Amino acid sequence: MNNHIKIIYCTQCRWLLRSAWMAQELLTTFDEEITELTLVPGKGGIFQIWINDELVWSRQETGQFPEIKELKQLVRDRVAPDKDLGHSDKKSDDSS
Amino acid sequence: MNNHIKIIYCTQCRWLLRSAWMAQELLTTFDEEITELTLVPGKGGIFQIWINDELVWSRQETGQFPEIKELKQLVRDRVAPDKDLGHSDKKSDDSS
């Protein structure tokens, strides 16, 4: 099973560092499940996360970045539905 | 012009952090030239850097990682040959 994550970020907004941080979080947690993770420089305030060609996060729609826990749940649900994310893996509306 | 960088790293060797660091260095320096940069988890001691489907670094061949300056020169020569890399951009055998 191939799983390809893509993070498109705005260079003008200087979102490389947070995108690379998210990339490392995902590659650490899903080291057996992610086949490749691509960082894509963009413009004009774009921040999107794609999992296997499905758009799972767009800052233009949500107005914000995902919490890292939320992001991991989005990935887990699609690439490793049985995976336990540990103590942070409460139900999605738990903000702890 | 599309330029696609790929870094394949061994997860068993815990080379994610240095790979992600190199990714950020390249995406910072070549923010206008790189179209996408892909991190690919691998096994068995692999560490390879590909630029547009050309293998430009293999730790299995060289026995070491590239200096970041060396890596930037490899990328520059292929994606932005006229780009000045600044004070670090001396001739390749300059170790400063």
Side-chain angles (χ1 to χ4, degrees):
Chain A
M1 174 83 192
N2 284 334
N3 290 303
H4 187 183
I5 313 280
K6 187 179 291 193
I7 301 176
I8 308 174
Y9 65 93
C10 174
T11 57
Q12 299 162 312
C13 313
R14 304 193 179 199
W15 289 340
L16 167 60
L17 271 65
R18 82 180 70 197
S19 301
W21 167 65
M22 290 181 186
Q24 290 172 82
E25 285 279 352
L26 294 178
L27 285 165
T28 299
T29 298
F30 302 99
D31 60 334
E32 295 293 331
E33 292 89 2
I34 293 176
T35 313
E36 50 184 57
L37 188 152
T38 300
L39 291 164
V40 183
K43 301 282 185 197
I46 194 169
F47 183 85
Q48 294 180 350
I49 298 174
W50 294 75
I51 304 175
N52 295 331
D53 298 320
E54 178 193 356
L55 179 64
V56 300
W57 194 275
S58 171
R59 192 173 182 279
Q60 281 150 315
E61 288 175 19
T62 61
Q64 58 190 22
F65 294 96
E67 292 287 326
I68 198 72
K69 184 184 78 175
E70 192 176 12
L71 176 55
K72 287 184 181 180
Q73 288 168 338
L74 288 169
V75 173
R76 188 267 316 277
D77 292 349
R78 285 159 182 82
V79 313
D82 296 330
K83 193 180 185 86
D84 181 4
L85 294 176
H87 70 277
S88 75
D89 195 20
K90 305 290 170 51
K91 61 186 187 296
S92 298
D93 58 354
D94 180 337
S95 63
S96 68
Chain B
M1 174 83 192
N2 284 334
N3 289 304
H4 188 182
I5 312 280
K6 188 179 291 192
I7 301 176
I8 309 175
Y9 65 93
C10 174
T11 58
Q12 300 162 312
C13 312
R14 305 192 179 200
W15 289 340
L16 167 60
L17 271 66
R18 82 180 70 197
S19 300
W21 167 65
M22 290 181 185
Q24 290 172 82
E25 286 279 353
L26 293 178
L27 285 165
T28 299
T29 298
F30 300 99
D31 60 334
E32 296 292 332
E33 291 89 3
I34 293 177
T35 313
E36 50 184 56
L37 187 152
T38 300
L39 291 164
V40 183
K43 302 280 186 200
I46 194 170
F47 183 85
Q48 294 180 351
I49 298 174
W50 294 74
I51 304 174
N52 296 330
D53 299 320
E54 177 192 358
L55 179 64
V56 300
W57 194 274
S58 170
R59 192 174 183 280
Q60 283 150 314
E61 288 175 21
T62 61
Q64 57 190 23
F65 295 96
E67 293 287 327
I68 198 72
K69 183 183 78 176
E70 192 175 13
L71 176 55
K72 288 184 182 180
Q73 288 169 338
L74 287 169
V75 173
R76 189 268 314 277
D77 292 349
R78 284 158 182 82
V79 312
D82 296 329
K83 194 180 184 87
D84 181 4
L85 294 175
H87 70 279
S88 75
D89 194 20
K90 306 287 170 54
K91 60 186 187 295
S92 299
D93 58 353
D94 179 337
S95 62
S96 67

